[in-house]
Amino acid sequence: DFGKLEIRLFMRNEGQIIPQNLYTKWFDYDKIKKSLQLRNRRLGDYLIVDEKGSRKSLKQYMIDEKIPREFRDQILVLADEDHIVWIPGYRISQSYKIEDQTKKILEVKLTGVI
């Protein structure tokens, strides 16, 4: 059960530290193509897993992470169409990570996570 999703947009400050938190993530706002959706997985979902742009299907990622099949449809994902931005509790897509040239940061926080 997820409590609520809090979203905040702000400008990056010089030398700002990116927090490492399981249920609060920062994304490069300008890299978001469409609009974000918090939803369950769908056929065709994928994420970028490294700096080289290697693409992995969400299904394969869940298999590799040994997420039990019966729980996979219950996990909520933050998606930009079929590109998975964040699997809360697991990882974010390499494509949306903060870089030196990032100007606007989107903070997404999941509260009340059990």
Side-chain angles (χ1 to χ4, degrees):
D1 181 27
F2 287 91
K4 65 179 182 175
L5 192 66
E6 297 174 15
I7 298 175
R8 180 171 74 106
L9 179 65
F10 58 94
M11 299 304 287
R12 183 176 186 175
N13 296 320
E14 194 67 36
Q16 195 163 23
I17 304 297
I18 299 167
Q20 301 298 314
N21 185 311
L22 212 50
Y23 293 102
T24 301
K25 295 295 179 193
W26 287 10
F27 305 100
D28 187 325
Y29 179 76
D30 293 319
K31 293 180 181 177
I32 297 167
K33 306 281 186 266
K34 299 288 182 178
S35 61
L36 297 179
Q37 281 187 312
L38 187 63
R39 61 170 175 78
N40 297 99
R41 70 183 181 145
R42 294 183 188 154
L43 190 63
D45 285 345
Y46 70 94
L47 62 154
I48 303 300
V49 294
D50 60 27
E51 288 87 10
K52 293 182 284 183
S54 301
R55 184 175 167 150
K56 183 180 278 195
S57 73
L58 180 59
K59 178 180 180 178
Q60 190 59 53
Y61 175 80
M62 289 182 164
I63 291 168
D64 292 348
E65 289 297 308
K66 300 183 178 16
I67 297 170
R69 182 176 292 161
E70 59 271 17
F71 296 125
R72 293 177 195 164
D73 286 334
Q74 298 171 26
I75 294 173
L76 293 176
V77 295
L78 188 64
D80 183 7
E81 294 197 323
D82 55 355
H83 189 161
I84 301 303
V85 177
W86 181 29
I87 309 164
Y90 292 92
R91 69 164 299 157
I92 71 171
S93 177
Q94 188 71 31
S95 293
Y96 298 92
K97 285 191 172 183
I98 304 294
E99 297 177 340
D100 291 341
Q101 62 271 27
T102 298
K103 303 240 185 300
K104 289 184 265 180
I105 295 174
L106 182 72
E107 179 186 76
V108 181
K109 182 188 295 187
L110 231 34
T111 59
V113 179
I114 294 177

